[in-house]
Amino acid sequence: MHVDIEGATRIARLAAEFDWTWAVDDLEPFCTQAGWELVELRQGGGSIRTNLHVCRPKANMFGRQHRMDWISIFVTDVADDATPMTVVRPLRNAGFANLTAALTSVLPIPTYSEPGPEATIRWDLPKSGRRTRDEPPRDPPATDESEVSGMGG
């Protein structure tokens, strides 16, 4: 299970420095700066093709009424459904720990951290919130991966 730590830290740094208003209009300039492609913008969200080195290089924006609520970015490969959780879980946990260590080297001290099977670490930054979660994805297939989410105001 590969984690694009370099790409994730680059995006975290870029997002922390971006001048967010959290209006939907922020999405295209952010994608341009990140080298990403805004694939689709629709009511309630948007689909993004990232340049992260993972099997599903994508991100999703969720929002309402021309406001962005959060952006979810996939930063790991997806485990094969046939791979037992006894194999996946240690790899996922190690990847999450390595990703967290890398993010804490470029961002200030986290404001919230919760260990466990659905570990979460969060930074409340002046321009953007940043949260890293280690949990199964919300859409099929039912596999494990880590995501980085940016949260709007």
Side-chain angles (χ1 to χ4, degrees):
M1 179 177 260
H2 170 72
V3 181
D4 187 351
I5 292 174
E6 183 179 318
T9 54
R10 180 181 68 83
I11 294 305
R13 189 178 305 117
L14 178 65
E17 296 169 356
F18 190 79
D19 190 22
W20 294 103
T21 65
W22 289 95
V24 171
D25 294 342
D26 286 349
L27 193 56
E28 192 162 1
F30 180 77
C31 287
T32 299
Q33 281 189 322
W36 294 355
E37 177 188 355
L38 180 57
V39 176
E40 179 185 17
L41 190 57
R42 61 194 176 285
Q43 181 135 354
S47 300
I48 302 161
R49 184 173 300 112
T50 73
N51 56 6
L52 297 176
H53 300 287
V54 294
C55 62
R56 288 199 310 173
K58 72 176 205 171
N60 296 298
M61 181 276 291
F62 302 90
R64 63 191 180 303
Q65 299 174 343
H66 303 289
R67 302 277 311 155
M68 291 190 295
D69 292 330
W70 53 286
I71 300 171
S72 176
I73 306 161
F74 296 100
V75 298
T76 67
D77 284 335
V78 178
D80 185 287
D81 284 338
T83 307
M85 282 306 293
T86 55
V87 173
V88 173
R89 193 170 289 114
L91 295 173
R92 184 187 70 187
N93 292 348
F96 183 78
N98 293 336
L99 177 60
T100 298
L103 290 174
T104 56
S105 74
V106 298
L107 297 173
I109 295 171
T111 52
Y112 176 81
S113 179
E114 181 180 325
E118 293 185 10
T120 301
I121 189 165
R122 183 180 75 225
W123 290 263
D124 294 327
L125 304 175
K127 294 181 181 179
S128 68
R130 183 84 29 246
R131 177 175 64 185
T132 301
R133 295 184 303 178
D134 185 18
E135 67 176 28
R138 288 175 174 63
D139 55 17
T143 55
D144 286 320
E145 60 192 335
S146 293
E147 67 178 327
V148 176
S149 299
M151 297 165 291

